Amino acid sequence: MRFSNLSGSDVSQSSTAVYTFYDLPGEPWILVKPGGDLNLPYFQAVLASQTKNRRKLQKGKIDAEMLVKNRNVDRSLYPIHLDGGEWGGWLDDETGEEVPYSKEGFKDLMAQLPGHLFDGLRAFCNEPMEFATEDEPDSEDIEETAGN
């Protein structure tokens, strides 16, 4: 038996979603893949990077330095594992022209994003439902299920 309610909820490492930086002028965006264990190559790379921190984590000794190191690990891994291959609205400081997408540009962007903006992106990428294809229910769907 397959439950039709689950239609569109499948998310894999090849799923993509647009993340928009609403707090930035022009609301630039990037296409990203999911993080976490849904993206196995990314997840394995994160685990490999944590071998030195495992003892601290097991003892519950997380400090600010460790959090910064984890952010920097993600800054290096996102261009490899989470880059969806598209972006828009990013402007060159010198020319004011839109910067065409490139893998190197994505890597530069990840390195330059302020911590709070990068953390917003990380939260988005680690939420599987951001990558699900199921649309929000419309008024007709709500009326049909209202009696259940």
Side-chain angles (χ1 to χ4, degrees):
M1 172 176 7
R2 174 96 171 133
F3 296 98
S4 64
N5 308 65
L6 298 175
S7 173
S9 65
D10 293 333
V11 178
S12 71
Q13 70 187 42
S14 62
S15 298
T16 58
V18 171
Y19 181 78
T20 303
F21 292 86
Y22 291 108
D23 294 335
L24 295 178
E27 298 182 354
W29 57 272
I30 58 177
L31 188 70
V32 289
K33 297 176 183 178
D37 61 348
L38 290 173
N39 187 329
L40 195 55
Y42 164 76
F43 193 63
Q44 289 173 332
V46 168
L47 291 176
S49 75
Q50 297 301 320
T51 55
K52 294 178 183 177
N53 292 332
R54 282 212 177 105
R55 287 194 180 115
K56 282 186 175 181
L57 290 170
Q58 288 172 338
K59 293 178 181 179
K61 295 185 178 188
I62 299 173
D63 57 18
E65 181 183 342
M66 185 185 297
L67 296 176
V68 170
K69 284 181 182 179
N70 287 343
R71 180 189 291 145
N72 289 335
V73 166
D74 274 347
R75 285 184 191 275
S76 68
L77 293 177
Y78 274 36
I80 299 166
H81 300 289
L82 274 65
D83 181 358
E86 295 179 37
W87 73 14
W90 295 98
L91 304 179
D92 184 294
D93 277 347
E94 293 177 13
T95 66
E97 298 293 320
E98 187 164 343
V99 177
Y101 166 81
S102 70
K103 287 184 174 289
E104 189 63 33
F106 188 91
K107 182 178 177 182
D108 289 345
L109 178 62
M110 294 300 101
Q112 292 178 38
L113 279 174
H116 68 283
L117 294 176
F118 188 75
D119 289 345
L121 172 63
R122 290 168 82 195
F124 178 88
C125 290
N126 285 312
E127 179 53 55
M129 290 313 293
E130 297 290 356
F131 297 87
T133 57
E134 182 64 27
D135 293 331
E136 293 292 319
D138 60 20
S139 58
E140 190 175 305
D141 292 332
I142 293 170
E143 284 180 32
E144 283 180 23
T145 59
N148 291 340

